[in-house]
Amino acid sequence: MAARIIYSQLFSILNIVFLTLPTRSVAMAFAPAVKAAYWPSDSTFPPSAIDTSLFSHIHYAFLMPSNVTYKFEISNSTALLMSNFTTTLGHMNPPPATLFSIGGGGSDSLLFSRMASKPKSRKAFIASAMEVARKFGFDGMDLDWEYPNNPKDMKNLGHLFKEWRRAIKVEAKATCRAPLLLTAAVYFSVEVNLDGVYRKYPANSMDKNLDWVNVMCFDYHGGWNTSVTGAHAALYDSSSNVTTSYGLRSWIKAGVARSKLVMGLPLYGRSWQLKDQSFHEIGSAAVAVGPGDNGTMTFLEIEEFNKKNGAIIVHDMDSVSTYSYVGSSWVGYDDDITVTLKIGFAQALGIRGYFFWALGSDSEWKISKQASRAWILGE
Ligand SMILES: *[C@@H]1O[C@H](CO)[C@@H](O)[C@H](O)[C@H]1NC(C)=O
Ligand SMILES: *[C@@H]1O[C@H](CO)[C@@H](O)[C@H](O)[C@H]1NC(C)=O
Ligand SMILES: *[C@@H]1O[C@H](CO)[C@@H](O)[C@H](O)[C@H]1NC(C)=O
Ligand SMILES: *[C@@H]1O[C@H](CO)[C@@H](O)[C@H](O)[C@H]1NC(C)=O
Ligand SMILES: *[C@@H]1O[C@H](CO)[C@@H](O)[C@H](O)[C@H]1NC(C)=O
Ligand SMILES: *[C@@H]1O[C@H](CO)[C@@H](O)[C@H](O)[C@H]1NC(C)=O
């Protein structure tokens, strides 16, 4: 196993990071950093095993409302799991704030379209979500609608957030409790151009009505295109705008306050099978997905794979990403080094923090610990 860093490039990245530091928004001094992570509720990794010293917020992922009433009809087994989640984390030292996340990748996007399209169904959905949050002891709610399908959905999403915020304020006042948190997980860029349909998130409503926005800065490349390898969470790419730096800047440009932007970091990688073993760069020809679960591997699995097979590990400073290869296997991911550089970038940009997808995928908290340490003003 070998590691290679191109130091001149590393130096120029650090230079960019530190030279731009003074532009950091002063709002950061008042808003504590968000160091969040999602916990998949079907995970075998129990909430009691979470090192809560590393995270400010933990998301329970996921819940779906009824397709008919748009209310949450929670089964007894889910109720047990949710109570256990909030109770367990509430007793830990320190206790992180908890949110439950609604939707998730692969969930029924059209259900959310229908719900958001009418004031009556929005109201039922919002009231039910808030009732769930209070009943199970969560501090907030997160909407992960992947993705609003068209401009009309985006407009309705703006209405939904506005009405949701109003309901939160009213409830907090009536009950004399701290207002519930409201966040959303979103596409890497404010503009979405998927399936040939262009639509843009309602940035003004989001800035005004959300506590913050979890920007999913990953999945730029993957098994849906097996012809070339790719850095699936690249910070930079000289030939494309599908990058974390472009995505985060697009949200700022659209008017979302820097203090309300949180950068997603993947605790997983994406793998390919190389066409020719002697070409093993980012963008080299590939023929199929590589090792792992249909081309996806957790960081923990990647570390084991690298060690077991003596893979060569490369830190690519053009994209700010890590990859490893051995034989015809190639895996693109982030490790503690590239995550540190991305956190330097995020802090120079003056954003609020970071989140990980997902708990249970780190290797002995290696990346989570390094991220928490690297975030200078964090607590
Ligand atoms: C949800 O309801 C719609 C009609 O309102 C139906 O077309 C769709 O198949 C349903 N989806 C699921 C997952 O039940
Ligand atoms: C769910 O729990 C409730 C009360 O805790 C109980 O009355 C009901 O029978 C349970 N339902 C099932 C399907 O176990
Ligand atoms: C949560 O579940 C775990 C594992 O099933 C159990 O050991 C623990 O006692 C439960 N905790 C609470 C607070 O219910
Ligand atoms: C594997 O991933 C590809 C692309 O992401 C997807 O189209 C395919 O359905 C997946 N196959 C399985 C068996 O999950
Ligand atoms: C796969 O990705 C490469 C590089 O981004 C691109 O040139 C190619 O057109 C893509 N192929 C498909 C089928 O999308
Ligand atoms: C990236 O975005 C900028 C501005 O939005 C645009 O001018 C440029 O053509 C885009 N580049 C690519 C490679 O799509």
Side-chain angles (χ1 to χ4, degrees), residues 239-241 246:
S239 63
S240 155
N241 285 335
Y246 180 88

Side-chain angles (χ1 to χ4, degrees), residues 222-226 270 289 293-295:
W224 50 92
N225 183 341
T226 51
R270 293 200 173 271
V289 295
D293 177 11
N294 196 17

Side-chain angles (χ1 to χ4, degrees), residues 136-201:
F136 292 97
F138 285 92
D139 301 294
M141 303 155 287
D142 175 60
L143 179 64
D144 182 5
W145 176 1
E146 297 187 24
Y147 296 101
N149 299 283
N150 50 48
K152 184 133 194 294
D153 278 358
M154 290 298 196
K155 192 166 173 223
N156 292 334
L157 181 61
H159 296 319
L160 177 74
F161 287 144
K162 186 174 171 198
E163 291 156 13
W164 208 336
R165 172 58 59 192
R166 197 186 304 136
I168 287 170
K169 279 188 184 158
V170 168
E171 191 265 356
K173 203 162 174 200
T175 61
C176 296
R177 300 177 76 167
L180 288 164
L181 294 168
L182 182 61
T183 65
V186 298
Y187 195 57
F188 85 99
S189 117
V190 72
E191 299 180 295
V192 183
N193 206 346
L194 296 170
D195 312 313
V197 182
Y198 173 87
R199 62 269 197 195
K200 185 173 178 185
Y201 278 97

Side-chain angles (χ1 to χ4, degrees), residues 70-357:
Y70 306 113
K71 294 180 186 173
F72 294 89
E73 292 165 3
I74 296 183
S75 70
N76 285 0
S77 60
T78 300
L80 262 180
L81 204 56
M82 291 173 75
S83 302
N84 186 292
F85 177 84
T86 51
T87 310
T88 301
L89 291 177
H91 287 152
M92 289 176 84
N93 185 20
T98 55
L99 297 92
F100 71 91
S101 192
I102 302 162
S107 62
D108 185 359
S109 167
L110 294 176
L111 181 157
F112 292 112
S113 293
R114 287 189 298 275
M115 178 276 290
S117 69
K118 298 208 174 66
K120 195 173 160 211
S121 45
R122 291 199 294 265
K123 193 171 174 190
F125 171 81
I126 290 168
S128 179
M130 289 174 55
E131 196 184 312
V132 168
R134 290 305 192 195
K135 180 171 175 193
F136 292 97
F138 285 92
D139 301 294
M141 303 155 287
D142 175 60
L143 179 64
D144 182 5
W145 176 1
E146 297 187 24
Y147 296 101
N149 299 283
N150 50 48
K152 184 133 194 294
D153 278 358
M154 290 298 196
K155 192 166 173 223
N156 292 334
L157 181 61
H159 296 319
L160 177 74
F161 287 144
K162 186 174 171 198
E163 291 156 13
W164 208 336
R165 172 58 59 192
R166 197 186 304 136
I168 287 170
K169 279 188 184 158
V170 168
E171 191 265 356
K173 203 162 174 200
T175 61
C176 296
R177 300 177 76 167
L180 288 164
L181 294 168
L182 182 61
T183 65
V186 298
Y187 195 57
F188 85 99
S189 117
V190 72
E191 299 180 295
V192 183
N193 206 346
L194 296 170
D195 312 313
V197 182
Y198 173 87
R199 62 269 197 195
K200 185 173 178 185
Y201 278 97
N204 288 337
S205 171
M206 295 171 76
D207 179 60
K208 204 161 162 201
N209 299 309
L210 297 181
D211 286 285
W212 65 82
V213 181
N214 287 332
V215 184
M216 293 188 275
C217 301
F218 37 70
D219 292 341
Y220 306 148
H221 306 275
W224 50 92
N225 183 341
T226 51
S227 64
V228 286
T229 65
H232 87 91
L235 182 54
Y236 303 115
D237 181 345
S238 59
S239 63
S240 155
N241 285 335
V242 185
T243 64
T244 297
S245 97
Y246 180 88
L248 288 173
R249 288 181 203 281
S250 79
W251 283 98
I252 294 168
K253 229 189 235 171
V256 177
R258 292 168 194 253
S259 61
K260 289 197 172 187
L261 290 172
V262 171
M263 173 178 67
L265 293 168
L267 288 174
Y268 63 94
R270 293 200 173 271
S271 70
W272 283 265
Q273 195 184 320
L274 296 167
K275 187 171 182 190
D276 178 338
Q277 292 187 20
S278 50
F279 294 97
H280 41 63
E281 315 277 306
I282 293 169
S284 289
V287 290
V289 295
D293 177 11
N294 196 17
T296 302
M297 295 170 89
T298 64
F299 177 64
L300 177 61
E301 289 166 345
I302 295 166
E303 287 235 304
E304 282 167 0
F305 176 86
N306 289 346
K307 203 180 242 174
K308 184 165 165 233
N309 298 288
I312 305 220
I313 299 167
V314 180
H315 294 97
D316 178 71
M317 290 304 136
D318 289 337
S319 60
V320 185
S321 73
T322 309
Y323 61 88
S324 69
Y325 59 92
V326 56
S328 62
S329 296
W330 192 99
V331 192
Y333 61 103
D334 272 318
D335 67 3
D336 49 331
I337 293 175
T338 48
V339 159
T340 303
L341 293 170
K342 284 178 162 185
I343 282 181
F345 169 86
Q347 290 219 278
L349 206 54
I351 68 171
R352 181 73 169 275
Y354 58 83
F355 78 85
F356 287 109
W357 178 268

